[in-house]
Amino acid sequence: MTWLKKLHNQIILGLILGLLFGILSAAMGWGQFTRHWIGPFGTIFLRSLFLIAVPLVLASIITGVASLSDTRKLSRIGGKTIAIYIGTTVMALIIGLVLVNLLQPGNGVPDEVRDQLTAEYSAMAEARTDAASESMEDRGPLQAIVDMVPDNIFGSASSNRNMLQVVFVAILFGIALLMLPAEKSRPLLSFFDSLNEMVIKIVELIMKTAPVGVFALLADTINQVSQNDLNGLWSLLGALGFYMIVVLLGLVVHVGVTYTSILKVFTPMSLKRFFVGLAPAQLVAFSTSSSGATLPVTMEMTEKNLGVSEEVSSFVLPLGATINMDGTALYQAVAAVFIAQTLGIALGLGAQLEIILLAVLASIGTAAVPSAGIIMLVIILQSIGVPAAGIALILGVDRILDMCRTACNITGDATVATIVAASEDQLDAAPA
Ligand code: ASP
């Protein structure tokens, strides 16, 4: 049983047992029991990760930025990071669009299935559409930049949806500390340094409970998705199976081709080390459906197992968790075209190019929390002239795809961190 000593194997075991328990619970009608007695352990795990996300982002970015030798280095690393983030997101979108146009999953959906799904999920779809229009109210083109700048630091630190504002504050603090004479900045720097160490310790403690947390999250999610009706779930999976396969295929191609080739070309990292080292973070992302909650784990694995320096990871990863969501962008492209195909709306090249532009922006603006991607999808649909109520078609399986796209999102962040570290000569390429 030595394989069970490895954390990622323990998490995989928790995940499989959670999946089986969720199915069993739905089949036996144990929904209430699972929700009240198993689910809370998952919620505690998720909340503890979220709890440390804001202090971690603050402490790690401030110490990371302040330890750079000058602000020029910050703009060099920052420029490189953002350019690669946007490049990989565009690549993800192209893969999604090519697959969905080639395989046309929406053309095979029978009319009665379409009508049934639309009726069943219309109330849920309306709630999402309302949320989207609320966030779009009175927005000019520069609103996304305005949203990045908080007017109250405690206000932004009080919601995990505002992580980008926390990143902004942290970078600002770091730059100011960098510009101060050493004797003035020292007390604050050692405070944040110590805060950073404390948070890392807490991450280690939380990760010890990860197998149980993942078990509970999975059991509860399957329980909720199936709504105590396993037959309903199977027929939903049957109806939307082809659409799901196209999204999953896209994610696999993006991770298996885009990420692995840029890792091969730009870094000396062996792919085995990369994927085995990152596995615990991918599994946590899969179970929590939140790259924000997974951030502490992504940072720990990237530094400890992949050998990326703290200076690079503490800047690149929090930024990536908030603005780089390749999996989400790919899914949005496939979902938008799938909905249009199902509703019999033809999307020309112009509309598809618009999807690329909007999804890149959406990936920056999407909060790193579960189901955030679908709200942005509503905005994309509205812009390309597809009825937003069409999201009713895909809502039933969205949570399952959310898990997969979140795992892809954090893999993208770690890939870019590894590449930036290699280019800055800050990658410890020797196996840990
Ligand atoms: N759950 C995703 C994330 O946190 C965002 C989304 O696609 O809904 O990365």
Side-chain angles (χ1 to χ4, degrees):
M1 293 298 253
T2 46
W3 71 274
L4 244 192
K5 288 215 178 90
K6 292 220 166 76
L7 179 66
H8 65 259
N9 290 336
Q10 293 172 8
I11 303 179
I12 292 177
L13 189 67
L15 202 137
I16 295 173
L17 291 178
L19 188 78
L20 293 177
F21 189 88
I23 295 176
L24 190 69
S25 146
M28 307 292 283
W30 298 342
Q32 287 277 41
F33 172 80
T34 307
R35 178 144 24 101
H36 292 146
W37 291 98
I38 307 282
F41 293 99
T43 312
I44 294 172
F45 176 64
L46 184 64
R47 284 193 181 189
S48 5
L49 286 172
F50 265 134
L51 173 72
I52 49 168
V54 168
L56 178 68
V57 169
L58 263 183
S60 66
I61 294 192
I62 292 175
T63 45
V65 170
S67 69
L68 297 173
S69 43
D70 56 60
T71 43
R72 263 205 320 251
K73 191 165 174 192
L74 175 68
S75 36
R76 189 180 69 227
I77 296 185
K80 229 187 299 196
T81 304
I82 292 173
I84 312 177
Y85 275 155
I86 294 180
T88 50
T89 307
V90 171
M91 201 53 220
L93 282 158
I94 294 175
I95 293 174
L97 284 176
V98 167
L99 286 177
V100 73
N101 281 297
L102 219 63
L103 301 173
Q104 311 234 340
N107 290 348
V109 179
D111 287 354
E112 60 279 6
V113 172
R114 185 193 62 203
D115 296 343
Q116 190 198 337
L117 287 172
T118 314
E120 211 167 305
Y121 288 95
S122 66
M124 226 166 146
E126 217 167 284
R128 300 289 199 284
T129 323
D130 286 350
S133 47
E134 226 168 75
S135 68
M136 284 304 282
E137 245 164 51
D138 224 7
R139 287 173 69 91
L142 296 184
Q143 194 58 38
I145 304 176
V146 174
D147 286 346
M148 243 171 7
V149 187
D151 60 357
N152 184 308
I153 169 174
F154 297 104
S156 39
S158 70
S159 160
N160 293 312
R161 290 189 158 266
N162 292 338
M163 206 73 94
L164 199 52
Q165 296 187 346
V166 179
V167 171
F168 177 86
V169 171
I171 293 178
L172 194 64
F173 281 20
I175 292 177
L177 285 171
L178 187 59
M179 295 163 91
L180 282 178
E183 76 274 14
K184 297 273 183 209
S185 60
R186 201 171 301 120
L188 265 183
L189 277 181
S190 53
F191 168 78
F192 283 118
D193 205 27
S194 163
L195 182 65
N196 204 12
E197 294 298 327
M198 181 195 78
V199 174
I200 292 171
K201 207 16 111 208
I202 299 179
V203 179
E204 280 171 22
L205 292 177
I206 296 175
M207 282 311 281
K208 288 199 198 307
T209 71
V212 177
V214 165
F215 165 81
L217 278 172
L218 253 271
D220 196 33
T221 305
I222 300 292
N223 191 42
Q224 279 176 28
V225 172
S226 61
Q227 294 170 340
N228 257 340
D229 174 13
L230 213 50
N231 293 336
L233 179 64
W234 294 140
S235 66
L236 190 65
L237 291 181
L240 294 173
F242 194 18
Y243 154 71
M244 293 175 74
I245 288 173
V246 176
V247 175
L248 296 178
L249 184 66
L251 295 176
V252 168
V253 171
H254 190 52
V255 173
V257 179
T258 315
Y259 294 155
T260 53
S261 28
I262 54 178
L263 277 170
K264 272 256 156 275
V265 173
F266 296 110
T267 76
M269 170 83 60
S270 89
L271 293 178
K272 180 164 175 242
R273 180 178 168 204
F274 180 83
F275 284 105
V276 172
L278 193 64
Q282 289 171 319
L283 293 166
V284 171
F286 181 80
S287 325
T288 59
S289 289
S290 166
S291 24
T294 313
L295 178 62
V297 189
T298 318
M299 288 181 74
E300 171 157 323
M301 297 308 144
T302 310
E303 282 166 27
K304 235 176 52 191
N305 298 348
L306 308 185
V308 171
S309 75
E310 205 182 320
E311 186 176 300
V312 168
S313 80
S314 65
F315 174 73
V316 177
L317 292 175
L319 197 66
T322 44
I323 71 164
N324 181 51
M325 299 197 182
D326 294 358
T328 301
L330 189 148
Y331 137 85
Q332 283 166 338
V334 175
V337 179
F338 169 78
I339 293 171
Q341 286 170 352
T342 313
L343 300 179
I345 301 168
L347 290 180
L349 189 64
Q352 307 226 9
L353 288 177
E354 202 176 329
I355 295 181
I356 296 193
L357 183 71
L358 290 168
V360 169
L361 294 176
S363 138
I364 297 175
T366 304
V369 297
S371 298
I374 198 139
I375 312 258
M376 289 295 177
L377 176 63
V378 170
I379 297 169
I380 295 179
L381 289 176
Q382 281 166 342
S383 315
I384 56 170
V386 174
I391 58 163
L393 293 169
I394 55 165
L395 274 176
V397 293
D398 200 61
R399 180 61 200 241
I400 303 171
L401 294 180
D402 196 1
M403 299 161 87
C404 304
R405 63 190 191 238
T406 308
C408 172
N409 288 345
I410 69 109
T411 308
D413 301 340
T415 302
V416 176
T418 311
I419 292 173
V420 172
S423 75
E424 291 288 321
D425 218 2
Q426 296 198 38
L427 182 70
D428 179 5

